[in-house]
Amino acid sequence: MASGFFAILDDIATLMDDVASMSKIATKKTAGILGDDLAVNAEKASGFVSSREIPVLWAITKGSFLNKLIILPAAFLLSTFLPWAITLILVLGAIYLAYEGGEKIYEYFFPHKKSHEKVYVKERPESEILALEKKRVKEAIITDFILSVEIVIIALGTVLEEPLVTRIIVVSVVAIIATVGVYGIVALIVRMDEFGIRLINLNTRSNSISDVIGKLLVNALPKVIKGLSVIGTIALLLVAGGIFVHNIDFLHHFLPDLPSLLREFIIGLVVGLIALLVVKGFLRIFKRS
């Protein structure tokens, strides 16, 4: 009886060890998406009145958890009954990632005028402000849903050959890490300027250490968000290229002499630009018709 109990404990320990190692691999695979998720949500969660930043971010975080509660069961059912669909969704998701990365690079070199809407203006009534806030939260949750699908499918693709229990635990762990990690870092980023202002107002002396650090934090916020956007774009193309290389045999043997990172970036960029041309051509034809 005792030996059977210890055998069960040994099996559980082995399972947890496998889960830990595979969760680490799956998290590395999804790092590119997490970088883009971080950049997108930092941008969407900023621009609010200081007192509303954390409540807005909390509303988006709850929406993100709800997204994953919807996505995870559907992904596990697919992996059990239609495992080939995971690879298909993975490749289709990679095309979307490449398209998104290609579009960002295209807009960098060929920018078009955008109408920047200011969310909070003092003269606006409270009801209008709350309506705009609700709209921004809804947009952020929809974006999170798309990115969450990609994160879950990529994580699931790394453990597709494992037993169902292992798949459920590993992908769920990655989903929780993605949500808590991303939105925890976003909370720190969007409060960076507020913390900087508090340091500036800490004492009446000018050019004190707290003033220098405070001004640095205030001025750094837009640069950090912009830097994350650049890193996220590169990561998108690398992740997309990696998916193509590992799931499409022709691309697996494409440009074999190049370093793997450079090859994945080139493949992701080429596919992204092709997808961008196709989408723009389709939209142009649709507008004419």
Side-chain angles (χ1 to χ4, degrees):
M1 192 76 175
S3 61
F5 176 73
F6 285 114
I8 292 172
L9 288 180
D10 185 59
D11 290 342
I12 293 173
T14 303
L15 175 63
M16 290 298 102
D17 185 57
D18 291 342
V19 166
S21 60
M22 284 184 285
S23 296
K24 186 177 180 181
I25 295 170
T27 303
K28 285 182 179 180
K29 293 278 187 181
T30 59
I33 309 294
L34 294 177
D36 187 62
D37 200 3
L38 178 61
V40 169
N41 285 292
E43 185 177 358
K44 287 187 178 295
S46 60
F48 292 94
V49 170
S50 178
S51 61
R52 296 299 303 160
E53 284 179 341
I54 296 301
V56 165
L57 190 57
W58 176 238
I60 298 173
T61 305
K62 288 189 292 184
S64 178
F65 274 115
L66 182 60
N67 285 341
K68 290 176 179 66
L69 285 176
I70 297 169
I71 295 165
L72 286 171
F76 296 139
L77 286 172
L78 280 176
S79 68
T80 302
F81 298 105
L82 296 171
W84 58 266
I86 298 298
T87 303
L88 178 61
I89 295 172
L90 201 59
V91 173
L92 291 175
I95 294 172
Y96 171 79
L97 292 177
Y99 164 77
E100 197 177 49
E103 186 182 34
K104 289 181 179 180
I105 290 177
Y106 176 82
E107 287 183 355
Y108 177 80
F109 288 104
F110 305 99
H112 60 274
K113 293 182 180 179
K114 294 182 180 180
S115 57
H116 297 280
E117 180 185 33
K118 292 184 178 180
V119 177
Y120 288 106
V121 181
K122 291 183 179 179
E123 291 78 9
R124 286 182 174 178
E126 185 179 354
S127 58
E128 189 177 346
I129 291 174
L130 292 175
L132 287 169
E133 180 181 295
K134 188 176 180 180
K135 180 184 175 184
R136 286 276 295 274
V137 169
K138 185 178 179 181
E139 290 173 352
I141 291 174
I142 291 172
T143 303
D144 177 90
F145 184 87
I146 296 170
L147 293 171
S148 294
V149 169
E150 295 162 358
I151 290 169
V152 168
I153 294 299
I154 290 173
L156 191 56
T158 63
V159 291
L160 205 54
E161 303 300 323
E162 301 299 327
L164 180 60
V165 174
T166 305
R167 272 180 272 158
I168 291 173
I169 296 174
V170 170
V171 178
S172 299
V173 167
V174 173
I176 292 170
I177 290 173
T179 305
V180 175
V182 166
Y183 288 101
I185 296 173
V186 169
L188 293 175
I189 290 173
V190 298
R191 300 299 289 177
M192 185 188 297
D193 57 344
E194 179 68 21
F195 182 64
I197 291 171
R198 290 190 179 186
L199 285 177
I200 293 171
N201 297 330
L202 194 62
N203 56 64
T204 56
R205 290 181 298 158
S206 59
N207 296 325
S208 62
I209 295 177
S210 61
D211 284 350
V212 173
I213 297 174
K215 289 175 183 177
L216 180 65
L217 291 175
V218 171
N219 295 327
L221 179 59
K223 295 178 182 178
V224 168
I225 293 176
K226 187 176 180 180
L228 283 172
S229 180
V230 173
I231 294 169
T233 300
I234 295 171
L236 280 176
L237 296 173
L238 286 173
V239 170
I243 292 172
F244 294 136
V245 167
H246 292 102
N247 291 278
I248 300 175
D249 189 60
F250 166 72
L251 294 177
H252 185 70
H253 303 287
F254 182 69
L255 299 175
D257 295 329
L258 288 179
S260 58
L261 280 178
L262 181 58
R263 181 174 53 150
E264 290 170 4
F265 179 81
I266 290 172
I267 292 173
L269 179 59
V270 170
V271 174
L273 294 177
I274 292 172
L276 181 64
L277 288 173
V278 171
V279 171
K280 285 187 174 293
F282 177 79
L283 291 175
R284 185 169 294 180
I285 293 170
F286 180 76
K287 284 180 181 179
R288 285 179 179 176
S289 61

